[in-house]
Amino acid sequence: MLVWLKNMWTPRSFRYKVILISIISLIIPAILSLFIYNYITKDTVKEQALSNASRELNIASEYVEKLFSDMLYVANFVQLDPKMNTVLKGLAKSDAEKESYDQYLLENEINRTIENITLVGEKSYVTILLKNGKYFTNYNIAEFDPRDLFKEKWYEQIEEAVGYESTWIESQPTIFELEKKNNPYQISIVRTLRDEGVQIYGFVVVTIMENKISEVFNKMEGYDDVMMLNPSGKILSHNEDDKIGNLFAYHADLMNRNSSEVMKMTDKEYVVTENSLSFSNWKLVSLVPYEKSINKINGIFHKVFLIQGISFILFFLLLTYLMKTITRPLEYLAKLADKVQAGNLIVRSKIKGKDEIGRLSKSINLMLDHINTKIEEITETEARKRKAEFAMLQAQINPHFLFNVLNSIRMKVMIKGDKESANMITSLTKLLRITIDKNKEIITFLEEVQILEDFVHIMNMRQNRKISLDLEVDQDTYSFEIPRFILQPIIENSIIHGFNQSAGLITISAKIMDETLVIVIEDNGLGMSKEDLEQLKIKTFHGTSKENLERKQHVKGFSSLGLANVYERLFITFGPAFKMDIKSDLEKGTKVILEIPMKGGKKNV
């Protein structure tokens, strides 16, 4: 097999390989899909059948619970409404045989209230029965005498109810004459009416016809049996009236949980689904033959695979055609490349377009044009290169000539006895050398200090009042390497802006603490206010963009441009571990603190 694949793969064209890969990419997933389907379809179909049964029964449960919720709402309203309770308590204490006009009005108001609260939702029969024999209903008493409720079996049970506890009355023969023919069974809920929550003075009974529930079951197509059971397995509701009141034969086999299972009953498998009702201890149970439940799902799977098979064949034919069409320009470019390889630089590609192949064709043409142009420019390029080398050599000679001239001037000044001017020229020469030398971007801290001494010397020659430079530097800091001209902008700021042409003292201290070089530059100049200091910090630490640097704005007592350059260079060199801080008090001077990490920098040993 591997040998066959190898022979199929090599030596073949790129076009052939693309088509082959595309076909394999179609065939392998199709074959794998068939195998996987055969392997997992049984479990998948079963899970889907169980899921469908659970979903259908959940929908039925929601509707049944809505019916029970409406019944509870009516019972709660009668039991908890303050106005109605007050009236009912008063009527419960009055003599049933003596009625006043006011009492008549109150009774009518209660009847209207009962009728109003039962207008929403399914039709229900409401009976309020007081222990003194008074009653209120939303139906004609010709159908049923409410006082007969005292004879019901549940009466003694409801007497023992605690607080606001509800008692659900299971399916029993309909007591209303007009309903008996079409609706032989009814379901009720009973609540006690209590005086201050202790003494029972009456009852409220809400009743619906059982067929309201069985109508829901009739809408569930494909189900052999859907029923409502009590905890003992007694059928309380069924779409067949003759089964109501009987025991469900397989009640003992139920799982007693909200789920679906495949169970064997009378040599036949059924999907049995259970769902407990939240308002009572009853539950809904549905039965559907397993074969029937999966027929529809299997039919869908078969149709899907048939469509997939047809689609695969059509797509395979279309893909083969499109691949040949798309890869034809690649074959043309391959032949063009062979001609170029043979030395023919005159040929050009005729393929045009905005896609990748069109851009590749255009790039090949431009490349060939560029190669021809480069061949013509080689001689001129070499000549320019020789001229550039000569200019570079000349640029290296000019600084040496400048230093020789400055040295000659210094010697003549020394001969004439002007040692101060000679020293100034010496300092200037040193500064020019370190400035011009591009190979010394990183220098030792000792060299930086020497630059500062020469710089201060030159600055003192320019002004009448001298600036003193005090060094408090530990010896072990001198070998630490930093970017050149880091301290000079800070010293220049102190001289120009801090002292404002007056005499002063600049102190530079340096020491190593916790593997960090700490440099403090402090002057006793003019200082600055808190507002100016805050503005300087913003421009130094957050204003190093090109636009802000070009503004060259000065804060009173200091230039933010020089400090921003210092901060930016050190931050680029040493990273986030580098720290810089500025402190200043008006008329007391300014202090700049640099903390340079030894691990992030360079240190001579």
Side-chain angles (χ1 to χ4, degrees), residues 76-114:
N76 288 336
F77 183 88
V78 174
Q79 188 179 45
L80 301 177
D81 182 68
K83 184 177 180 181
M84 181 170 283
N85 265 275
T86 301
V87 175
L88 290 175
K89 288 176 186 178
L91 293 174
K93 295 177 182 179
S94 64
D95 190 346
E97 297 180 357
K98 295 181 179 180
E99 294 186 1
S100 65
Y101 180 72
D102 291 338
Q103 183 174 327
Y104 171 76
L105 293 177
L106 291 174
E107 290 176 357
N108 280 342
E109 184 176 352
I110 291 176
N111 286 326
R112 284 196 303 272
T113 303
I114 294 173

Side-chain angles (χ1 to χ4, degrees), residues 530-540 553 555:
K530 292 183 179 179
E531 292 78 9
D532 289 338
L533 176 61
E534 189 64 29
Q535 186 180 4
L536 176 63
K537 286 184 177 180
I538 293 174
K539 294 178 180 178
T540 300
Q553 296 178 351
V555 180

Side-chain angles (χ1 to χ4, degrees), residues 394-413:
Q394 187 177 15
Q396 292 176 349
I397 296 174
N398 287 339
H400 292 289
F401 173 75
L402 176 62
F403 293 143
N404 290 335
V405 172
L406 286 174
N407 192 44
S408 298
I409 295 173
R410 183 181 68 81
M411 294 298 295
K412 288 183 179 181
V413 172

Side-chain angles (χ1 to χ4, degrees), residues 464-475:
N464 296 326
R465 299 184 180 184
K466 307 299 182 184
I467 302 299
S468 299
L469 183 63
D470 184 16
L471 299 176
E472 299 176 0
V473 180
D474 291 351
Q475 289 295 324

